[in-house]
Amino acid sequence: MKRRLLLALALCLTPGSAHAQGFRVLGLNVLPGSLPPADLNVLDGLGTASCPPPAGRLDRLLSQELQGQGANLSCGNRFEALIEFPGPAAAHPWGSYAELARRIQEAKSSVLLANMVWDEGQGAPGQLIAAALADLRRNVLAHPEQYPQGMSVRVLLGNSVRPDRPADPRANLDYAVKDLLGAGLDLSGQAEGGWRLDVANFSYAAPHSHLKLLVLDGEEVVAGGYNISTLHLSPEAGGKGLRDLGLVVRGPIARNAVAAFYDTWQLSERLTCPAGTRPGTALSVRRACPLGGESAPFTLLWPPAAPAGTANVYSLYRRSGVTAADHALTALLGAAKTSIDLLQTQVSGDLSCDLTLGTPQGCDLATHGLPAWQAVADALRRGVHVRLVLDQAYPMKFEAAALVRSLQDALAGTGAADRLEVRWAGHPMHTKAIVVDGEMAVFGSTNLHFSSFGPAGLSEYTLATSDAGAIARMQDIFEGEWKMARPFTFPWWAR
């Protein structure tokens, strides 16, 4: 039988070599300019895959916009699932986090977990994630024959401040470390048989990492807007029922997700705890477990990519210094011919617009609007029907009202205003999802907000797909949200 020749490409780099110098403001590490560019060859799969020109109109657009940044990994993928948060508490107290934990426990060689928020406390989902990792470790050590490549686990926090710790971007990391130590996991960075666990924190608080990403075995991706937070639990489980989504896909695009994680890891500081460190309090964890330790090289060992299906999936990974996805998302919105449906938790014009939130005039879209919203306005003028569901929690409600006012002002006198329908979500919503023309669906962490765009924008991971099953599922979710949504009215201060 003819043997198949596998080409293995390895890239070994140590995190920290690409750091840009920041400065401290109130204890926060602030980046004064842009981060260095990413290695585009890595984001595009190190030459292990290529894709023919796609047939679909919107597929062709994204393929062209994202050349060199994952387009070669966009074909041959498979839509697996769309995880809805919070999920039914009747099935599991932790709702949809139980699905994430199950997938972690079933990993065969690697787990890459990046998130911005990690809540502490009894019953918080971080405890379930830590327990899943502990179960995985026990199985790796008990049955090494099932893990011939060993098991490499990396957990990456985003260095973001929290409402309860507004000047402390390390708090989420400390809470994660408490849960990991509490589950009996060693964070010294030393290998145990075939098992190794590394933990790191993104180096910058402004801009921080907003990634919400899980990559399993370099083959499966869960990308969405969910945090590891009690807010996403159902009220029955002590949460707020905050709605969100996680898109699960399998195939070559997972290599781009690995590369995005790798790129973010390089811009992070590794944490180490002395062997035997006990969970204690967040303060004791911080004292015992410093940042800045040397990390094991991040090795990418990729044979030629094998197709998992027929779906096209496009990566919209972006960060300071890597902004092609900003243009691609704007181009996608601008290419709409019939409809744009949006579920958005946080929207805005540019930063100057946020400084005028207390005035009823809004902000001029032509001069201070995000290009993405300018593209939506242009689509409306061309006859596209736009439905927009917005979260009405404060302070996002201020920004949402100003953005809607800007859109209405931009459409005044054009005959297009009636094609814009806006509603307030009928429940707490954290989703960032878009459907364009019923032909392309977008899921991820990117808000249509100034903080997610431009050279000073956050690190984000978002996926777009033309898979018919994913689009149908997303359209069903949107229609359900639309029916539950409430009529949009301006707050009293903006009337």
Side-chain angles (χ1 to χ4, degrees):
M1 186 173 72
K2 184 178 180 180
R3 290 187 177 183
R4 183 181 177 191
L5 178 64
L6 296 181
L7 169 67
L9 299 177
L11 179 62
C12 302
L13 291 177
T14 300
S17 60
H19 281 202
Q21 198 67 33
F23 63 90
R24 295 279 171 179
V25 177
L26 299 177
L28 307 179
N29 193 16
V30 177
L31 184 69
S34 292
L35 289 170
D39 187 334
L40 300 186
N41 191 37
V42 179
L43 289 174
D44 214 30
L46 289 172
T48 60
S50 62
C51 293
R57 178 178 64 91
L58 298 180
D59 285 282
R60 289 196 302 273
L61 182 148
L62 288 182
S63 178
Q64 292 164 4
E65 289 280 340
L66 297 168
Q67 283 299 311
Q69 297 201 28
N72 277 330
L73 301 167
S74 62
C75 59
N77 296 288
R78 183 173 76 237
F79 166 61
E80 293 279 300
L82 194 55
I83 301 173
E84 296 182 65
F85 291 83
H92 196 287
W94 278 291
S96 291
Y97 289 104
E99 175 67 12
L100 297 183
R102 180 187 67 80
R103 291 178 182 274
I104 288 171
Q105 290 169 320
E106 294 175 355
K108 296 302 180 185
S109 61
S110 65
V111 176
L112 304 177
L113 174 62
N115 212 285
M116 184 187 79
V117 172
W118 190 298
D119 283 350
E120 69 166 346
Q122 188 63 34
Q127 293 184 332
L128 178 67
I129 299 301
L133 289 172
D135 287 344
L136 179 60
R137 170 186 169 273
R138 282 189 287 270
N139 207 51
V140 169
L141 297 181
H143 302 284
E145 73 282 358
Q146 298 178 10
Y147 304 89
Q149 300 176 59
M151 178 62 63
S152 173
V153 177
R154 295 178 191 250
V155 177
L156 176 59
L157 278 297
N159 202 33
S160 170
V161 298
R162 302 167 51 92
D164 59 334
R165 305 286 288 276
D168 184 6
R170 188 179 149 156
N172 290 296
L173 176 71
D174 294 336
Y175 296 159
V177 170
K178 275 184 59 182
D179 283 343
L180 295 170
L181 291 171
L185 291 163
D186 178 84
L187 301 183
S188 66
Q190 300 301 312
E192 299 178 80
W195 168 268
R196 180 173 180 128
L197 170 61
D198 287 286
V199 178
N201 201 34
F202 192 63
S203 294
Y204 308 98
H208 60 264
S209 172
H210 195 235
L211 268 62
K212 295 99 189 289
L213 181 64
L214 175 63
V215 193
L216 302 166
D217 303 330
E219 297 177 355
E220 182 176 281
V221 187
V222 185
Y226 61 90
N227 293 305
I228 302 176
S229 170
T230 55
L231 295 178
H232 291 298
L233 298 178
S234 67
E236 297 88 342
K240 299 295 185 182
L242 189 61
R243 300 292 183 97
D244 217 319
L245 297 171
L247 174 68
V248 187
V249 293
R250 176 173 287 270
I253 196 62
R255 298 187 177 186
N256 175 272
V258 172
F261 187 98
Y262 155 83
D263 181 53
T264 311
W265 187 269
Q266 284 196 97
L267 299 166
S268 303
E269 295 180 287
R270 180 177 168 241
L271 174 139
T272 53
C273 299
T277 302
R278 302 187 63 80
T281 65
L283 180 59
S284 68
V285 163
R286 181 170 304 195
R287 289 171 175 166
C289 305
L291 286 166
E294 289 297 319
S295 181
F298 200 136
T299 302
L300 303 181
L301 186 64
W302 288 338
T310 59
N312 291 333
V313 183
Y314 304 91
S315 165
L316 295 170
Y317 171 61
R318 61 94 55 224
R319 65 162 171 81
S320 171
V322 181
T323 56
D326 299 0
H327 306 288
L329 184 54
T330 298
L332 176 63
L333 293 167
K337 289 187 174 181
T338 59
S339 64
I340 304 175
D341 290 334
L342 306 103
L343 301 177
Q344 294 292 309
T345 183
Q346 191 170 17
V347 297
S348 78
D350 65 14
L351 176 58
S352 68
C353 291
D354 266 25
L355 303 178
T356 62
L357 294 182
T359 67
Q361 288 79 21
C363 198
D364 181 55
L365 192 71
T367 56
H368 294 287
L370 291 182
W373 287 115
Q374 293 169 350
V376 170
D378 289 341
L380 283 158
R381 296 185 191 101
R382 295 196 315 272
V384 174
H385 182 203
V386 175
R387 293 186 293 175
L388 173 59
V389 180
L390 295 166
D391 182 50
Q392 59 176 325
Y394 289 103
M396 282 77 78
K397 191 169 187 176
F398 288 97
E399 296 176 305
L403 185 276
V404 173
R405 177 74 73 195
S406 298
L407 284 168
Q408 290 180 344
D409 290 347
L411 299 175
T414 67
D418 291 344
R419 289 191 284 272
L420 173 64
E421 294 187 78
V422 184
R423 294 182 183 179
W424 292 118
H427 44 238
M429 187 185 74
H430 194 249
T431 312
K432 311 100 166 54
I434 306 169
V435 181
V436 178
D437 290 347
E439 299 175 8
M440 188 69 68
V442 180
F443 313 84
S445 67
T446 306
N447 292 301
L448 296 184
H449 183 271
F450 73 84
S451 63
S452 294
F453 290 81
L458 307 179
S459 299
E460 308 279 9
Y461 197 83
T462 292
L463 293 174
T465 182
S466 57
D467 179 81
I471 293 170
R473 186 74 194 96
M474 183 60 234
Q475 198 67 61
D476 285 346
I477 290 172
F478 181 87
E479 298 301 339
E481 294 284 0
W482 188 252
K483 288 179 182 177
M484 289 187 287
R486 301 165 183 166
F488 178 88
T489 56
F490 282 102
W492 64 268
W493 50 264
R495 293 172 187 162

